[in-house]
Amino acid sequence: MIISVLGPGCPKCSEAEKIVRAAVAESGVDAQVEKVTDFQKIAAMGVFSTPAVALDGKVMCTGRAPAKSEVLAWLASQS
């Protein structure tokens, strides 16, 4: 599973990445977390408000950092 954290690197984007990495570590799910900062790649995914998080290319949230419980639920539904 590839989890993409989309954003230019603002504090909210960094918070989103930190939350996603913590949720992955807590869940024990085999997942790769990648940070996407290229606006063209972000826009190509249909995201125009950051931060955003995508699981295997499916956008799960935009415009905010997700709660860790939210990310854990996404991971549980994917496994």
Side-chain angles (χ1 to χ4, degrees):
M1 175 186 315
I2 297 175
I3 303 173
S4 304
V5 178
L6 313 169
C10 67
K12 284 187 177 182
C13 298
S14 296
E15 179 185 354
E17 182 179 10
K18 191 180 299 184
I19 290 168
V20 167
R21 289 188 185 280
V24 168
E26 184 175 319
S27 70
V29 170
D30 184 23
Q32 176 185 347
V33 179
E34 68 176 12
K35 183 86 163 74
V36 179
T37 58
D38 184 323
F39 277 116
Q40 289 186 347
K41 289 181 181 175
I42 293 170
M45 294 180 73
V47 172
F48 298 99
S49 180
T50 59
V53 178
L55 271 65
D56 289 331
K58 179 181 177 188
V59 178
M60 304 302 286
C61 79
T62 62
R64 63 181 175 83
K68 188 166 82 173
S69 60
E70 208 175 355
V71 179
L72 288 169
W74 298 339
L75 296 174
S77 70
Q78 298 293 314
S79 53

